[in-house]
Amino acid sequence: MSKKEISVNSREKIVAFENALINIADGINIEGDGKHVVTESKIAPIKHSFADGVYVRQMDMTKQTVVVGAIHKHLHVWFLLTGHITVTTEDTTEDYIAPCYVISTPGVKRVILANEDSIFVNIHKNPSNTQDIDQLEKEIVALNYKEYEEYINKNK
């Protein structure tokens, strides 16, 4: 089996896992509908901060919290400030123990498991300096691979 076949197979498993969670989402133990980015959460509280040209998104994850992320459109950096997480993508599963940071490539959907209470921070460019979270999310992420491919094809 080629790496591409393994990759696609793992991508399908991640999407199937996400869809299974969406189907049983109750807004209490599982949040999300697959049509919107979760910008406020009771399960993994999110804090939005801004600096000139920069958007900071902090997610506080309690132990055993699982997050299926959107697909980021741009190269960005994320930091694990405290805790221990396991991140699964279509290519790999990696453990991260704070403090650490990762340069994150675009086009990747991640499943993140908090092995202990953790603070996870994404740093994104924000050239328009908007503080409209809905607008930022449209610029920064795609909700599914079809939307991501359309973005890539439009911006070649």
Side-chain angles (χ1 to χ4, degrees):
M1 188 178 302
S2 73
K3 183 176 179 182
K4 184 173 182 177
E5 289 171 319
I6 293 169
S7 180
V8 169
N9 185 38
S10 297
R11 177 184 287 188
E12 290 170 358
K13 287 179 181 176
I14 289 171
V15 170
F17 177 66
E18 178 181 42
N19 288 335
L21 290 174
I22 289 167
N23 287 334
I24 61 171
D26 59 6
I28 299 167
N29 299 301
I30 300 172
E31 297 175 319
D33 61 9
K35 297 177 182 127
H36 306 91
V37 174
V38 175
T39 58
E40 294 182 25
S41 173
K42 295 175 187 164
I43 297 169
I46 299 169
K47 178 182 176 185
H48 308 278
S49 303
F50 303 90
D52 190 28
V54 178
Y55 165 49
V56 180
R57 178 184 170 103
Q58 176 180 317
M59 181 171 49
D60 297 346
M61 301 177 69
T62 56
K63 182 177 180 176
Q64 298 303 308
T65 299
V66 175
V67 171
V68 181
I71 303 161
H72 291 90
K73 295 177 180 177
H74 309 282
L75 188 70
H76 71 286
V77 178
W78 63 259
F79 292 85
L80 184 63
L81 301 181
T82 63
H84 172 203
I85 62 173
T86 301
V87 178
T88 298
T89 68
E90 60 192 70
D91 295 322
T92 187
T93 297
E94 300 281 340
D95 278 315
Y96 297 95
I97 298 171
C100 67
Y101 72 92
V102 172
I103 296 174
S104 183
T105 56
V108 178
K109 183 173 272 296
R110 293 170 181 78
V111 178
I112 305 167
L113 166 66
N115 299 300
E116 57 187 55
D117 291 354
S118 302
I119 298 175
F120 184 91
V121 178
N122 279 303
I123 309 295
H124 294 283
K125 63 182 177 180
N126 181 7
S128 67
N129 282 320
T130 184
Q131 293 190 18
D132 181 326
I133 302 302
D134 291 333
Q135 179 184 339
L136 274 168
E137 295 296 348
K138 288 176 187 170
E139 295 172 8
I140 293 169
V141 299
L143 293 173
N144 54 59
Y145 286 105
K146 180 181 179 201
E147 185 180 319
Y148 179 72
E149 292 299 324
E150 289 169 357
Y151 167 79
I152 292 300
N153 291 331
K154 181 179 174 184
N155 292 285
K156 279 186 179 180

